[in-house]
């Protein structure tokens, strides 16, 4: 059983919940922290390395808006390195202001994996020192991987055994621990649930330094708490990821809609079927000149003549993106199946575009765009993304207010929109969703141009995001943020709603001094007993 001190538990409840969120507050004991950290290398007998210089990369992430410098970076080679570090800081008690943040591939958006004057744990280096173990016999095949392993590497290794994970994110160059701490949602989630739905076992280092093995049946409170728990209860160091037999090829299809109601009806029809497509997503396209011509470089158009007459200039149109996986032996019949599935949809028939690619090419498609943007110097720019979960009953009101009034001329990046069915999910995890079973992920994936003062400036996009959130609140759309970010604890309390008390209890149980993941800004490290 996990242990906690009852007296400390009661005292710290008041302290943690009474914290402030002034990020400019710097602990007066910073120099003491650095001196303490310097002595850790010898005292803890680490097999890895504790680094005190060249720390700037740990103060940067994909969002490129927050830059909080740590005091040190731990490059662990074993789980005991992580456990020893956290145990040492925990045993220092509330007189220490030191915090610890696990950093994967650096794709946080709001500095969530940063630890100001604390220690950042480089999980990617940990992942490289840990192997993958495949268990593919029996009725529940899985792969045992490090929390610092990249999903793209898991894909390549598992395919060697003829298997692959069931659920993905759209971008695979992310760590296991990072996506499991959030949810891991993509176009397969309507069928398999998010990635947190497809885990059998976790190894977790809690905020007291304990190394705990947990499953649905063993230490289940921690298991469900960590999944979608935003790193608040422990660092995921290993995971058993569910596998299924892997397909070889993918039929990748895009079609367009001019009418939002028809578009959403077709999406909802697809996710309710057990025997149609394997992947369902969608895009909102605002005034995209030359859109179909751009698709022709990768997709084959069924009716080029009719497609050439379709113009999206000045319009808001909606793209349904779907995919059907298949094996080589099914190649002769797959087209007939797809034609049957498509016959039940009401898209603009002149805009049917199809591509046949390998399973790896399809899953790793975003990385191709990343490389192109890196060549142009457009990858390392601020990314003020906004991800929302919108109840099905509110999606038309949302679209009318946002796409009809706030976003009218153009967008500064892709806008994803697709439904998922929560009734197929495990709802015991820490992830927060709308109350309805069917809800939409709407993701505004904007990129801000440095030095710009126009509609692609950071200030403009942030103001646009603010307007969208204000509409959601004023119109009572009952949305929830995915990859949430708030500035006050009252906002976090509202976000978690009825789950807030459980969330706080888990924090006080598994990380009573609020050592872990300070960048989420939910709880602040306790530094005194008052």
């Amino acid at each position: 059983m996990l242990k906690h001190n009852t007296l400390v538990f009661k005292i710290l409840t008041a302290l943690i919940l009474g914290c402030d969120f002034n990020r400019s507050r710097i602990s007066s004991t910073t120099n003491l922290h650095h001196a303490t950290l310097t002595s850790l290398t010898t005292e803890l007998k680490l097999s890895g390395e504790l680094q005190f210089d060249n720390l700037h990369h740990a103060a940067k992430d994909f969002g490129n808006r927050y830059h909080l410098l740590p005091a040190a970076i731990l490059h662990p080679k074993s789980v005991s390195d992580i456990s020893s570090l956290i145990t040492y800081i925990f045993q220092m008690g509330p007189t220490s202001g030191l915090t610890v943040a696990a950093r994967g591939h650096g794709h946080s958006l709001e500095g969530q994996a940063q630890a100001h004057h604390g220690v950042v744990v480089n999980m990617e280096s940990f992942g490289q020192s840990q192997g993958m173990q495949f268990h593919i016999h029996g009725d529940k095949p899985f792969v045992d991987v490090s929390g610092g392993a990249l999903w793209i590497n898991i894909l390549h290794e598992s395919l060697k055994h003829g298997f692959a994970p069931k659920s993905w994110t759209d971008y695979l160059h992310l760590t296991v621990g990072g996506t499991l701490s959030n949810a891991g949602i993509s176009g397969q989630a309507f069928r398999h649930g998010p990635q947190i739905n497809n885990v059998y076992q976790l190894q977790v280092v809690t905020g007291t330094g304990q190394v705990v093995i947990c499953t649905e049946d063993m230490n289940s409170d921690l298991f469900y708490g960590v999944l979608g728990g935003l790193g608040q209860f422990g660092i995921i160091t290993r995971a058993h990821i569910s596998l299924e037999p892997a397909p070889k090829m993918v039929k990748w299809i895009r079609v367009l809609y001019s009418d939002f109601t028809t578009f959403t009806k077709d999406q909802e029809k697809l996710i309710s079927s057990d025997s149609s497509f394997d992947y369902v997503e969608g895009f909102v396209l605002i005034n995209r000149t030359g859109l179909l011509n751009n698709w022709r470089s990768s997709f084959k158009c069924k009716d080029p003549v009719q497609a050439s007459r379709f113009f999206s200039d000045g319009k808001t149109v909606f793209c349904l993106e779907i995919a059907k996986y298949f094996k080589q032996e099914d190649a002769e019949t797959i087209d007939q199946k797809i034609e049957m599935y498509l016959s039940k949809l009401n898209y603009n028939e002149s805009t049917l575009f199809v591509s046949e690619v390998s399973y790896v090419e399809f899953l790793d498609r975003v990385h191709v765009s990343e490389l192109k943007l890196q060549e142009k110097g457009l990858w390392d720019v601020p990314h003020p993304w906004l991800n929302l979960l919108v109840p099905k009953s509110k999606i038309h009101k949302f679209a009318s207010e946002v796409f009809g009034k706030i976003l009218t001329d153009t967008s500064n990046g892709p806008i994803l929109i697709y439904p998922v069915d929560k009734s197929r999910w495990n709802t015991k995890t820490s992830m927060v969703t709308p109350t309805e079973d069917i809800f939409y992920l709407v993701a505004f994936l904007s990129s801000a141009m440095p030095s710009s003062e126009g509609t692609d400036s950071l200030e403009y996009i942030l103001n646009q995001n603010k307007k969208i959130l204000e509409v959601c609140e004023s119109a009572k759309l009952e949305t929830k943020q995915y990859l949430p970010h708030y500035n006050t604890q009252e906002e976090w309390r509202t976000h978690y709603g009825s789950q807030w008390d459980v969330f706080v209890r888990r924090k006080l149980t598994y990380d009573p001094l609020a050592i872990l993941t300070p960048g989420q800004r939910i709880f602040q490290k306790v530094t005194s007993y008052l």
Side-chain angles (χ1 to χ4, degrees):
M1 293 291 293
L2 298 174
K3 300 176 182 178
H4 64 269
N5 185 292
T6 303
L7 177 61
V8 171
F9 184 98
K10 292 179 178 179
I11 294 174
L12 295 182
T13 300
L15 288 171
I16 290 178
L17 295 184
C19 70
D20 64 69
F21 288 80
N22 184 352
R23 293 190 296 272
S24 65
R25 186 180 70 86
I26 300 174
S27 171
S28 61
T29 55
T30 298
N31 292 333
L32 174 62
H33 297 169
H34 189 81
T36 303
L37 284 167
T38 305
S39 67
L40 287 184
T41 305
T42 54
E43 288 195 32
L44 298 182
K45 296 181 173 59
L46 299 172
S47 57
E49 175 190 359
L50 202 58
Q51 176 185 343
F52 296 100
D53 51 13
N54 299 319
L55 306 176
H56 291 278
H57 71 281
K60 185 179 180 182
D61 56 29
F62 182 68
N64 204 12
R65 293 177 51 219
Y66 293 84
H67 303 91
L68 305 174
L69 201 67
I73 301 173
L74 174 65
H75 300 276
K77 288 187 177 179
S78 67
V79 67
S80 64
D81 285 350
I82 301 172
S83 173
S84 296
L85 171 71
I86 296 175
T87 299
Y88 186 91
I89 295 174
F90 177 73
Q91 290 177 347
M92 291 174 68
T95 58
S96 162
L98 284 175
T99 56
V100 176
R103 184 181 194 272
H105 202 52
H107 270 259
S108 295
L109 296 172
E110 310 274 357
Q112 289 96 332
Q114 298 176 29
H116 196 203
H117 296 310
V119 184
V120 170
V121 180
N122 183 353
M123 294 301 292
E124 225 179 330
S125 69
F126 177 66
Q128 292 169 359
S129 66
Q130 309 291 309
M132 298 183 196
Q133 301 172 19
F134 287 87
H135 303 262
I136 56 177
H137 302 291
D139 59 350
K140 288 188 175 182
F142 68 90
V143 57
D144 178 0
V145 297
S146 161
L150 293 178
W151 286 99
I152 184 64
N153 294 336
I154 297 173
L155 173 62
H156 287 303
E157 288 301 313
S158 60
L159 286 176
K160 294 176 182 178
H161 299 269
F163 284 80
K166 298 175 182 178
S167 190
W168 299 96
T169 54
D170 287 328
Y171 181 70
L172 302 190
H173 296 252
L174 304 170
T175 59
V176 167
T179 64
L180 295 184
S181 294
N182 288 283
I185 301 176
S186 183
Q188 301 90 357
F190 77 94
R191 177 157 295 160
H192 299 293
Q195 290 181 320
I196 57 175
N197 226 56
N198 295 276
V199 183
Y200 294 138
Q201 178 177 296
L202 297 172
Q203 180 190 68
V204 177
V205 181
T206 70
T208 64
Q210 287 184 273
V211 181
V212 182
I213 302 296
C214 51
T215 67
E216 291 183 345
D217 301 315
M218 177 175 60
N219 297 314
S220 60
D221 185 62
L222 181 61
F223 179 77
Y224 290 124
V226 167
L227 294 173
L230 306 180
Q232 292 303 297
F233 315 124
I235 295 176
I236 297 172
T237 49
R238 290 204 76 81
H240 290 185
I241 307 297
S242 174
L243 299 175
E244 66 177 357
K248 292 286 187 181
M249 302 296 293
V250 175
K251 289 285 186 177
W252 182 8
I253 300 164
R254 286 177 177 173
V255 294
L256 290 181
Y257 294 75
S258 299
D259 179 68
F260 185 71
T261 298
T262 306
F263 169 68
T264 54
K265 281 184 177 178
D266 276 0
Q267 283 193 316
E268 290 165 16
K269 183 187 300 182
L270 289 173
I271 71 163
S272 67
S273 172
D274 290 321
S275 59
S276 62
F277 293 95
D278 299 295
Y279 163 99
V280 177
E281 287 198 8
F283 297 89
V284 180
L285 303 160
I286 302 172
N287 195 17
R288 291 291 297 275
T289 303
L291 171 69
L292 300 188
N293 285 333
N294 292 337
W295 285 0
R296 285 188 175 93
S297 62
S298 303
F299 291 81
K300 183 179 179 181
C301 180
K302 182 179 180 180
D303 190 341
V305 175
Q306 289 298 319
S308 66
R309 298 172 183 170
F310 183 90
F311 292 98
S312 59
D313 302 29
K315 299 179 182 178
T316 297
V317 296
F318 308 96
C319 170
L320 173 63
E321 183 172 52
I322 45 184
K324 185 64 179 174
Y325 307 153
F326 65 100
K327 296 182 178 180
Q328 209 62 48
E329 55 266 31
D330 301 322
E332 293 184 5
T333 59
I334 192 64
D335 287 336
Q336 292 177 339
K337 287 184 178 180
I338 289 175
E339 190 170 334
M340 179 185 67
Y341 299 150
L342 289 174
S343 68
K344 301 176 182 179
L345 304 179
N346 295 291
Y347 59 91
N348 185 318
E349 292 187 3
S350 68
T351 64
L352 175 59
F353 284 73
V354 182
S355 179
E356 184 174 312
V357 296
S358 71
Y359 189 53
V360 172
E361 284 179 289
F362 176 72
L363 292 179
D364 201 28
R365 61 198 180 281
V366 177
H367 186 54
V368 176
S369 299
E370 174 190 357
L371 296 177
K372 291 178 181 177
L373 290 171
Q374 284 179 344
E375 288 178 4
K376 298 177 181 178
L378 298 177
W379 186 253
D380 296 321
V381 299
H383 294 96
W385 287 7
L386 177 64
N387 297 270
L388 298 174
L389 305 177
V390 184
K392 171 186 170 181
S393 66
K394 310 287 186 179
I395 192 63
H396 290 85
K397 177 68 172 175
F398 178 91
S400 173
E401 292 293 327
V402 175
F403 306 135
K405 299 176 183 178
I406 298 176
L407 297 172
T408 55
D409 297 326
T410 186
S411 60
N412 295 293
I415 302 174
L416 303 185
I417 180 168
Y418 59 92
V420 293
D421 185 350
K422 188 175 63 175
S423 67
R424 307 185 185 201
W425 296 20
N426 190 323
T427 57
K428 296 179 181 179
T429 69
S430 290
M431 185 192 177
V432 175
T433 65
T435 55
E436 297 178 14
D437 280 344
I438 305 294
F439 58 85
Y440 280 75
L441 172 68
V442 187
F444 302 90
L445 309 182
S446 302
S447 298
M449 294 301 102
S451 303
S452 172
E453 296 181 359
T455 58
D456 58 354
S457 69
L458 179 60
E459 182 180 2
Y460 184 91
I461 297 170
L462 289 174
N463 186 54
Q464 200 171 67
N465 289 348
K466 182 181 178 182
K467 290 179 180 178
I468 294 170
L469 291 172
E470 287 173 348
V471 162
C472 291
E473 184 173 356
S474 62
K476 295 181 171 53
L477 300 184
E478 301 175 8
T479 60
K480 293 293 184 181
Q481 285 191 32
Y482 176 56
L483 308 178
H485 168 73
Y486 300 102
N487 291 315
T488 70
Q489 196 170 86
E490 187 56 38
E491 290 175 311
W492 280 109
R493 186 190 297 269
T494 300
H495 172 75
Y496 279 100
S498 61
Q499 294 177 240
W500 175 247
D501 289 344
V502 173
F503 197 82
V504 171
R505 176 189 60 74
R506 284 171 171 164
K507 183 68 173 180
L508 293 166
T509 300
Y510 304 114
D511 183 24
L513 297 186
I515 291 170
L516 299 176
T517 322
Q520 292 284 5
R521 295 179 283 280
I522 306 175
F523 306 102
Q524 189 161 310
K525 174 70 186 289
V526 177
T527 56
S528 71
Y529 278 117
L530 296 182

